[in-house]
Amino acid sequence: PRRGGPRRGERLSGPARAQAPGVSSPPSQGGILRAASTVGSWTLASRVLGLVRDMLNARVLGDSPAMDAFALAFRIPNLFRRMFGEGAFASALVPVWGDVRRTRSREDASRWLGSVLTLLGGALVAVVLLQWGAAGVLRAAGRDLFGVLLFLMAPYALLICQTAAWGAVLQVEGRFASTAFSPVVLNLFWIGALAWALAAGCTSLQDGPRTAAIVAGSILAAGAVQWTLQVVQARRIGLRPRPGRITIDADTRRLGTLMLPMAFGAAVFQVNLLVDSFLADSLGPGAVSHIHYADRLMELPLGLLGLSLATAAFPRLGELLRTGDRAGAANAVRMALRVSVLMLLPATAGLAILARPILSLLFEARNFNAEAVGRTAEVLVAYAAGLSAFGVGHLLVRLLQASKRPAVAVRIGVLTVMLKIVLSLWWMVPLREAGLAWATSAGALFQTALLWWAARFYGLLGEGSGWLRGSLLRALCATAAMSLAVGACSSAAAPLGAAAQVLAGVPLGICIYLLLAGGELRRARG
């Protein structure tokens, strides 16, 4: 191609597109694991920092009313992040931007992207105003701390959704690192805020409201830095869209067509999580915090082993299905599903067996006592039961989205939420917050079963299921052997304390599982 890229109005095709500066291809099937490794590495760093953050949270805020209010307030901008950011908008933008950057000139594609980002920004300003209005209502109803924290964190929804949109664009260009690094920024700011609160003498639960407000301010600052990092990375590869006049063309309408069912599905699920948080709030002080800490710990294996594969596979699946290569797409998703199952099953067993010693080692402190550890452990065991279903479900949802059947995933999501609400109301009375977690896992298992059936019905997994049955059987056998050994080791080390249980049980479990299932894992990756 000519230096400086194509002229205005010129479209890219064939070799010119392949060599155009700043235009890259989605990862190949072999590249899915490399991309997943990149995403997974930064996700691991983020989750480790997240553990440090939550350890400080437990020591400073514990399971106090201030922590409950903070967890509830943070859940609301997160709801919009999942709806308009990482969930619906970003997922819809991946295939549409892939087509736009392939079929339009660089200038036209940049102008289209600027129009779309401006449209998103306008919608997000309305979201922020809506949250500020809700904060005012909360304060008028006597929930002062909840209202103040929501007011402080509301603009984070705008920043993180724009960050997620840029991340989707960069993923299509084969750039995963900056997007995966973004959560690291949030954790660093959060940890810094907690350290600042400790240095300022906020060590008692009476200082909880002040500490929660400091952390809320740090989250807003982190959102600004996260957005800036994505924009800088985009400019480095030649993407410089500017806010401008909004133009609704065929590609924008297609983006909306893809996004709306995804947004509805994400909204149903996220609103359900919010309802769960308010149900937990009705159970008394500490219940929301126990769900928060257990959820954060479960996110470590889920983000590292499940979501990273789904994120890396999505652009490749979309490209293969767009070009009609259904066999290639089936092979790619088979590989991702086998790896996901082989890695999530032992994580499920390990979390369930070592839930209490892990929580005691990480979180137990003056403001988070043994009773809080026990209640949180019950929630973590319940969440662990659905860990594999969560990971496989994410992959199957992305597969249906890539095949341009997002409405199928939405309908399944609605059925799942209906079941989950019924189970939550039924089980929360005898089991308290653990009942809500068991309802979540049961819903995930139900959803994954329906998603699997839908993927098979539409022929997206190829012929037969022996490719997974054998891997699943070997993984279950290896996990059972690992569980017996880790359980015996944990019982023997119990008199020595939680640290001995974790430091002995985790390496032992990893070694036994790799010895028994390592060959199967290598075959799945190959």
Side-chain angles (χ1 to χ4, degrees), residues 26-40:
S28 64
Q29 181 169 327
I32 288 176
L33 286 178
R34 288 192 295 273
S37 177
T38 298
V39 176

Side-chain angles (χ1 to χ4, degrees), residues 230-321:
Q230 303 303 309
V231 173
V232 169
Q233 176 64 16
R235 291 176 69 86
R236 286 181 61 188
I237 62 173
L239 290 173
R240 299 169 183 250
R242 298 178 180 178
R245 184 168 60 90
I246 296 175
T247 303
I248 307 298
D249 58 11
D251 287 314
T252 305
R253 287 191 292 272
R254 184 160 73 94
L255 176 64
T257 301
L258 288 174
M259 186 193 75
L260 287 176
M262 294 182 196
F264 178 73
V268 169
F269 183 67
Q270 292 301 317
V271 168
N272 186 56
L273 289 179
L274 189 62
V275 169
D276 265 5
S277 296
F278 281 103
L279 288 175
D281 190 43
S282 70
L283 295 173
V288 176
S289 298
H290 302 151
I291 287 179
H292 170 81
Y293 289 119
D295 176 68
R296 293 300 307 155
L297 195 55
M298 199 225 9
E299 287 288 334
L300 176 61
L302 179 60
L304 179 63
L305 305 178
L307 299 186
S308 58
L309 271 171
T311 299
F314 187 45
R316 175 63 176 168
L317 290 174
E319 183 74 8
L320 289 170
L321 290 170

Side-chain angles (χ1 to χ4, degrees), residues 342 474-475 477-483 509-521 523:
L342 286 165
R474 284 183 280 273
C477 291
T479 299
M482 181 204 78
S483 299
I510 292 173
C511 290
I512 291 176
Y513 187 79
L514 289 179
L515 180 65
L516 297 177
E520 184 66 27
L521 185 57
R523 284 190 293 272

